[in-house]
Amino acid sequence: MLKTLVAIPIRIVLKVLYPVFLIGYGIALLAPKVSPVVSEIPAYFNLAFGLFYLGAVFYLLYFLFHWKDSSLFLVFHLLLIAFTVDYLTTYSPMNVFEGLKEKRDLRVMTYNVENFYHRLSEDTAPYAIGVIKKYDPDIVCLQESVGGTSDIRSEAWFREYFTKDEYPFVVASAKKRLTLLSKYPVKEHHIVEYESYTNGSESYLIEVSGKKLLLINNHLESYSLSDVEKEKYRGFIKTSEVKRMWEHFKEVKGRLSPNMLLRVSATQATHRDMTYSQSEHRPDYTIVLGDFNDTPMSYAYSKLRGDMKDAYQQVGFGPGISYNEDLLPFRIDHVLYSGSLEATGGKIPWIKEASDHNPVIIDFTLK
């Protein structure tokens, strides 16, 4: 009898909260379509999409287990999932047994190495160098990869750790803190021009087995949260007091908004540059990758992706966390591609010792 009395209120509360979930879920789904210039509200709901994702799974299981008195809710929820399945699988794909492949035509890595701060001692190579050597990608795109005060000095710094047999071609941009390591010839490259504080994008034309690959390495504007501000964000996530939650939100919003708007203009400029380069060079393959500093449910990601495929969505399993700070579990590093190639395997290994980002590694076959 007591169990029944307890169960009824919980059941009612969950059904009353369902419309609240639907409103939040619907606003979050607008994030890829609505520019933060028009409204920032969907962008903030997008940052909580992981919670809405868990909510969608929870309500599905709940309605299934209580289908006798929740049949209408179950039917509606199944339709909701059917109409939004692409969003859900973009955020957390479910490809089983699609790890890295022994047989592949091309392995690509994108990695924010946090300026190579992490090392055992001053006399040893940074952890991230060992990560690159371990996975042996054919093409490596690094962000926050300062190795020297000039491009020449940066290239020389990388030569201390990688021989010409390992990576014959090194292109370093000290100003934008971007580096390309390639086993294939780099025919030309240029910085993508747009306003940014310290970040940027660089475009490369690479010859891969007689074919042309257009590759764009991105480090879009970050939120640049200090340790104190990250703690406030964690407080916003953890707090159960409505008053404190609103205070945290206002503080976080004031910090996030300016960089969010800069990221919008950066993605637009990068997309224009990519379109022009595709028209100019007619590449066989196009890969756009890097640290987007935004999730798969964001406007920046959506703008850059366009009609391209998300490699992790094709071969990954789960949310694939690439930013490994505690309570900030986001996939903000991405690999997008188009042309006559196909992602066949991938991995985002958890390597917190090397950087505050995990590398994203994708194996391709070239058609």
Side-chain angles (χ1 to χ4, degrees):
M1 182 68 177
L2 180 62
K3 289 183 179 180
T4 303
L5 291 173
V6 172
I8 291 174
I10 293 176
R11 191 176 305 171
I12 293 173
V13 168
L14 288 176
K15 288 183 178 179
V16 169
L17 288 177
Y18 188 59
V20 178
F21 158 76
L22 290 176
I23 292 171
Y25 187 68
I27 295 174
L29 292 177
L30 293 174
K33 305 296 183 182
V34 179
S35 168
V37 175
V38 177
S39 174
E40 297 177 8
I41 293 175
Y44 291 118
F45 275 75
N46 152 58
L47 294 176
F49 190 79
L51 298 177
F52 292 117
Y53 181 93
L54 293 175
V57 174
F58 169 80
Y59 272 112
L60 174 63
L61 295 176
Y62 179 81
F63 292 148
L64 282 172
F65 280 108
H66 299 86
W67 64 271
K68 288 184 179 180
D69 62 345
S70 303
S71 55
L72 291 178
F73 284 92
L74 177 60
V75 171
F76 179 83
H77 198 70
L78 287 172
L79 289 173
L80 176 69
I81 290 177
F83 280 109
T84 61
V85 66
D86 187 58
Y87 289 93
L88 295 170
T89 57
T90 299
Y91 183 84
S92 183
M94 293 295 168
N95 304 291
V96 184
F97 308 125
E98 293 288 356
L100 296 175
K101 305 298 182 182
E102 289 188 14
K103 293 183 178 181
R104 61 189 183 266
D105 295 327
L106 183 70
R107 173 170 289 178
V108 174
M109 173 189 284
T110 177
Y111 198 5
N112 183 321
V113 291
E114 200 182 3
N115 299 309
F116 290 110
Y117 286 148
H118 302 268
R119 60 175 72 212
L120 288 169
S121 72
E122 289 301 316
D123 299 325
T124 60
Y127 274 106
I129 297 294
V131 173
I132 297 169
K133 289 179 177 288
K134 175 183 177 179
Y135 289 101
D136 190 31
D138 300 300
I139 295 175
V140 186
C141 286
L142 303 177
Q143 305 86 40
E144 292 192 28
S145 59
V146 175
T149 56
S150 68
D151 294 357
I152 294 176
R153 289 182 178 180
S154 295
E155 291 174 17
W157 185 89
F158 279 97
R159 281 290 171 229
E160 294 180 15
Y161 300 107
F162 298 104
T163 67
K164 288 190 175 182
D165 289 333
E166 291 175 300
Y167 291 104
F169 305 93
V170 177
V171 180
S173 171
K175 181 180 179 182
K176 297 299 182 181
R177 301 184 299 162
L178 300 171
T179 301
L180 170 74
L181 307 175
S182 176
K183 296 181 180 181
Y184 297 99
V186 180
K187 295 302 183 179
E188 61 177 74
H189 61 94
H190 66 269
I191 296 292
V192 180
E193 296 296 334
Y194 57 76
E195 182 183 358
S196 176
Y197 295 126
T198 58
N199 300 354
S201 302
E202 187 160 10
S203 177
Y204 316 91
L205 189 65
I206 303 173
E207 183 180 320
V208 179
S209 303
K211 302 290 185 179
K212 288 185 286 187
L213 165 64
L214 174 63
L215 179 73
I216 303 179
N217 182 15
N218 298 277
H219 186 199
L220 302 183
E221 206 66 48
S222 70
Y223 286 118
S224 302
L225 294 177
S226 66
D227 291 339
V228 173
E229 288 166 330
K230 288 177 183 177
E231 283 304 314
K232 289 180 180 178
Y233 181 87
R234 294 185 181 99
F236 173 61
I237 294 294
K238 294 187 292 185
T239 185
S240 59
E241 301 176 33
V242 175
K243 182 179 178 181
R244 291 290 296 152
M245 182 181 294
W246 179 245
E247 291 175 3
H248 284 306
F249 176 75
K250 287 192 294 184
E251 291 174 358
V252 171
K253 181 181 183 298
R255 189 67 178 88
L256 301 187
S257 294
N259 290 25
M260 185 187 297
L261 297 179
L262 271 180
R263 195 156 55 247
V264 171
S265 61
T267 57
Q268 292 170 341
T270 303
H271 191 270
R272 285 195 301 269
D273 189 278
M274 178 189 71
T275 302
Y276 175 80
S277 294
Q278 287 176 325
S279 175
E280 181 77 8
H281 300 293
R282 302 291 181 183
D284 300 279
Y285 327 114
T286 299
I287 299 177
V288 179
L289 48 63
D291 178 5
F292 291 11
N293 270 304
D294 230 332
T295 74
M297 290 300 298
S298 66
Y299 180 82
Y301 166 93
S302 177
K303 182 66 178 177
L304 273 182
R305 179 176 177 177
D307 295 329
M308 304 179 79
K309 294 180 180 179
D310 182 324
Y312 185 77
Q313 184 185 15
Q314 301 292 311
V315 299
F317 180 84
I321 298 167
S322 67
Y323 186 62
N324 57 38
E325 285 275 0
D326 295 338
L327 288 181
L328 298 170
F330 300 119
R331 185 167 92 251
I332 59 176
D333 303 82
H334 308 281
V335 178
L336 311 174
Y337 70 96
S338 65
S340 53
L341 75 168
E342 191 66 38
T344 55
K347 187 175 185 179
I348 304 181
W350 185 270
I351 314 175
K352 195 173 179 64
E353 299 85 357
S355 170
D356 57 355
H357 286 246
N358 298 319
V360 179
I361 310 162
I362 300 294
D363 288 336
F364 290 98
T365 57
L366 308 178
K367 299 179 181 179

